[in-house]
Amino acid sequence: MAMRSNAHSLLFLLTFLLSCAFHAFATPWPVGGSTKFYDFKVQTTRVTKVCKSRAIVTINGMFPGPVVYAQEDDRVIVKVTNETPHNATIHWHGVRQILSCWSDGPSYITQCPIQAGQSFTYEFTLVQQKGTLLWHAHVSWLRATVHGAIVVYPKTGVPYPFPFPYEEHIIVLAEYRYKDVVKLEKKVVKSGGGPPIADAYLINGHPGPLYNCSGKDVYKLSVVPGKTYMLRIINAALNMENFFSIANHKLTVVEADAEYTKPFMADHIMLGPGQTMNVLVTTDQRIGRYSMAMGPYMSATDVSFQNISAVGYFHYTGASINSVTLPPQLPRFNDNLLVKTNMDNLRSRDSHKVPLEINEDLFFTIGLNVQQCHSSTPNKSCQGPNNGVFAASMNNISFVRPKLSLLQAYYNKIQGYFSDDFPDMPLKNYDFVYGAPNNIPNNTQSITGTKVKVLEYGSRVQVILQDTGTVTTENHPMHFHGYSFYVVGYGSGNYNPKTAMFNLVDPPYMNTIGVPVGGWAAIRFIANNPGVWFMHCHLDIHLSWGLSMAFIVKNGEGPLETLPHPPADMPRC
């Protein structure tokens, strides 16, 4: 027993020293069960898709990028070296970053970007986390090609709370564009108008046979009859929410956003960008080849989008390679009822401690805006509705990223980069859904600024996220960095506290929530992780237009409630 104890102590000391070798911190961080090291090189790689060859930005030349594998409570250390001419960062989407805010990754929020030729080492512990998450670039629109899966297994000897699958497979949904996405974002924002549609959708990097020149560029999953498979499905798409289905097969959802759910069956699921779902699929059909399909969910009106589905093959062993493929079966692009039905079925499997008493009750409107044109070249830069300029906002404030990271400005008490007066509710009250101002652009203006909301450590917070009808209602996938939250309620129309129905027993615990089109969602969390934490729409065009804000969670008492010092290799602006 003494030898075992000494070995454990030596392992603990080794892990601690490895941690200190990368970052010099004055306060202790959570130490993982073991440490996983990864080396990410941001590189330019040439690929050929949908009839054209072009250079894209990748990690280690892979698209999608390498999988980060770990176990619950492991420490993860990733050195990122930027070998491209573009700025780069990596965000570990859904990782709660306990006392590791410096490694969260959003550009100009928690860090300055990693510039060409520079490197930065991200370090965090997966404290009480397991399941499927994702990592992606968080600067410009590089997420289009810089993304990959995070797979966190339970601790050794801890089973899944469902029958162990025969095999597991990762399915990454994405969009593809011919044009350089960094240049494209700048061009779209400068134009004042909307973005062009995606050139294709992709399943694990493959568009499938419905696109030109893509008959052989198809993802194929070979399966054995009579088995149950687990698919770890990730939506890494840039500006679209997407349906997914497998022809003639039921999907049993068992996890969402890396939290186990009470199982439910569905013909189709919908994932917003940043969302993940684990589903079980049983190969109980006739031997053959079936379509796995990804197609658009578009809840806004008068918005153009790519309507050709990406298709992969769910191929039974024994089926001829020339078998006729059963066609994809996807819902209508605007099937809001199906999206609601899936959300209705999401329930936490494990008992959670939902905050019942709230001391920060916040109400945030979200939606689009059109600003007045003040350009001397309106034909080039005022291409929004009625010759206006597209914007987006929360509580009618369009977020402006500072020139220095918010976390650095906050930590070092540098004045002038942000103000702490983000309002707890809209500055103007109106019928948000049915009577929203739509005299574009005269009364659809938003305020611009870098405003944050400050929370005391330990605050029990409720946020009502209310969609608005300014310009158009739309389902917005809202992501909160550094935290998961309980989705305690949602509904259509304007939120009414007297009639709203809440689930305080088994609400889903998520990091990204699709706020219903023309409706609202209520989330709750406890502010027990100090730092600066970004909240934003995960449609990147909306993020570019300003649909975001940030929370500052103040330090508590003692080293385990205090934001550590920044790493020595923190990138500089």
Side-chain angles (χ1 to χ4, degrees):
M1 286 295 290
M3 288 180 63
R4 191 182 227 174
S5 177
N6 289 338
H8 184 270
S9 299
L10 186 61
L11 180 61
F12 178 91
L13 181 61
L14 204 60
T15 304
F16 177 75
L17 290 174
L18 280 169
S19 172
C20 292
F22 278 89
H23 297 297
F25 293 105
T27 54
W29 276 26
V31 176
S34 63
T35 303
K36 301 294 191 295
F37 295 91
Y38 288 89
D39 190 15
F40 277 20
K41 288 182 167 53
V42 189
Q43 300 174 332
T44 302
T45 305
R46 183 159 289 277
V47 299
T48 300
K49 296 279 172 199
V50 200
C51 311
K52 293 184 180 181
S53 178
R54 77 170 184 90
I56 63 172
V57 179
T58 65
I59 298 295
N60 299 349
M62 299 170 65
F63 177 54
V67 180
V68 171
Y69 289 102
Q71 278 185 296
E72 180 181 1
D73 290 341
D74 275 357
R75 193 142 187 80
V76 178
I77 297 174
V78 187
K79 183 179 180 181
V80 178
T81 304
N82 186 4
E83 299 178 352
T84 75
H86 306 292
N87 283 341
T89 72
I90 301 293
H91 168 54
W92 314 95
H93 185 112
V95 173
R96 291 180 199 134
Q97 299 291 358
I98 306 298
L99 296 181
S100 53
C101 188
W102 298 103
S103 286
D104 190 41
S107 60
Y108 301 104
I109 306 299
T110 62
Q111 69 168 97
C112 299
I114 306 167
Q115 297 177 40
Q118 295 183 349
S119 64
F120 175 55
T121 300
Y122 294 91
E123 186 175 357
F124 51 87
T125 301
L126 295 159
V127 180
Q128 297 179 8
Q129 286 195 266
K130 53 189 175 292
T132 305
L133 297 167
L134 72 152
W135 58 262
H136 60 78
H138 213 302
V139 60
S140 183
W141 287 359
L142 277 185
R143 177 166 65 85
T145 57
V146 181
H147 58 249
I150 303 173
V151 174
V152 187
Y153 293 107
K155 293 179 182 179
T156 302
V158 177
Y160 295 136
F162 43 80
F164 196 83
Y166 177 70
E167 286 181 354
E168 301 181 3
H169 294 273
I170 296 167
I171 305 291
V172 180
L173 313 179
E175 297 172 32
Y176 188 74
R177 283 172 167 75
Y178 293 138
K179 294 184 177 178
D180 180 313
V181 290
V182 175
K183 293 179 180 178
L184 182 61
E185 187 212 20
K186 291 178 180 177
K187 181 179 179 181
V188 170
V189 171
K190 190 175 181 180
S191 76
I197 67 172
D199 293 299
Y201 300 123
L202 305 176
I203 298 176
N204 283 352
H206 303 279
L210 302 185
Y211 291 94
N212 293 334
C213 314
S214 303
K216 295 183 179 180
D217 195 358
V218 187
Y219 174 69
K220 175 185 170 183
L221 177 55
S222 296
V223 295
V224 176
K227 303 293 184 181
T228 296
Y229 291 77
M230 184 164 78
L231 306 183
R232 298 176 179 268
I233 305 172
I234 297 168
N235 190 355
L238 198 67
N239 288 322
M240 285 297 300
E241 300 179 288
N242 294 98
F243 292 110
F244 177 84
S245 69
I246 302 176
N248 284 30
H249 288 75
K250 297 284 187 181
L251 308 176
T252 300
V253 178
V254 293
E255 178 189 302
D257 281 6
E259 289 290 331
Y260 295 136
T261 64
K262 292 175 179 172
F264 71 91
M265 296 183 74
D267 294 317
H268 321 278
I269 57 174
M270 194 286 286
L271 296 91
Q275 290 187 314
T276 64
M277 281 189 183
N278 286 5
V279 302
L280 301 179
V281 185
T282 300
T283 50
D284 55 3
Q285 299 298 303
R286 293 175 57 183
I287 290 176
R289 192 166 70 179
Y290 299 83
S291 291
M292 290 188 294
M294 166 201 183
Y297 168 52
M298 174 53 72
S299 57
T301 57
D302 300 323
V303 176
S304 57
F305 57 92
Q306 176 60 262
N307 205 21
I308 300 174
S309 300
V311 171
Y313 296 148
F314 196 68
H315 189 103
Y316 278 59
T317 301
S320 165
I321 197 167
N322 297 316
S323 294
V324 174
T325 306
L326 267 73
Q329 301 169 337
L330 288 170
R332 297 187 327 274
F333 71 88
N334 59 353
D335 194 337
N336 299 323
L337 180 59
L338 186 149
V339 174
K340 179 185 182 302
T341 301
N342 279 354
M343 191 63 203
D344 289 343
N345 287 323
L346 271 184
R347 294 286 184 269
S348 288
R349 182 158 197 154
D350 302 322
S351 59
H352 286 298
K353 296 180 180 179
V354 183
L356 300 180
E357 295 182 5
I358 299 299
N359 54 16
E360 284 279 3
D361 199 357
L362 310 175
F363 186 97
F364 294 171
T365 56
I366 57 176
L368 303 186
N369 303 79
V370 179
Q371 314 286 61
Q372 287 186 340
C373 177
H374 297 294
S375 171
S376 58
T377 56
N379 290 338
K380 293 183 178 179
S381 52
C382 300
Q383 295 179 15
N386 287 4
N387 299 316
V389 176
F390 266 123
S393 65
M394 297 180 68
N395 275 353
N396 210 40
I397 298 166
S398 289
F399 187 84
V400 177
R401 293 190 184 219
K403 302 296 183 184
L404 183 73
S405 89
L406 276 179
L407 183 58
Q408 186 179 344
Y410 164 65
Y411 182 84
N412 292 317
K413 299 180 173 60
I414 303 173
Q415 302 295 318
Y417 287 97
F418 68 91
S419 60
D420 60 2
D421 56 348
F422 188 87
D424 292 356
M425 59 186 65
L427 301 177
K428 182 180 178 183
N429 201 24
Y430 57 93
D431 181 343
F432 299 112
V433 175
Y434 305 110
N438 263 310
N439 184 11
I440 297 172
N442 297 323
N443 58 3
T444 58
Q445 309 270 30
S446 58
I447 301 167
T448 57
T450 309
K451 298 178 182 291
V452 305
K453 168 65 181 175
V454 178
L455 297 172
E456 295 292 331
Y457 186 93
S459 296
R460 297 177 301 278
V461 185
Q462 175 173 283
V463 184
I464 306 298
L465 296 165
Q466 174 69 61
D467 187 28
T468 63
T470 306
V471 184
T472 178
T473 56
E474 187 171 358
N475 187 293
H476 292 276
M478 297 297 295
H479 174 50
F480 187 20
H481 288 227
Y483 286 84
S484 290
F485 46 76
Y486 301 99
V487 183
V488 296
Y490 52 90
S492 59
N494 295 302
Y495 171 71
N496 184 339
K498 295 179 180 178
T499 58
M501 301 291 289
F502 278 14
N503 172 16
L504 302 178
V505 178
D506 58 354
Y509 196 45
M510 308 182 77
N511 63 63
T512 306
I513 176 63
V515 178
V517 53
W520 56 272
I523 66 173
R524 292 186 181 185
F525 63 94
I526 298 176
N528 55 7
N529 191 14
V532 176
W533 304 108
F534 208 25
M535 177 179 278
H536 64 91
C537 181
H538 221 271
L539 303 174
D540 268 24
I541 182 59
H542 293 180
L543 179 58
S544 299
W545 286 339
L547 209 167
S548 54
M549 57 83 65
F551 286 100
I552 289 178
V553 177
K554 294 166 71 172
N555 288 334
E557 297 180 1
L560 294 179
E561 297 180 359
T562 301
L563 179 69
H565 293 312
D569 62 342
M570 204 77 208
R572 301 180 184 276
C573 287

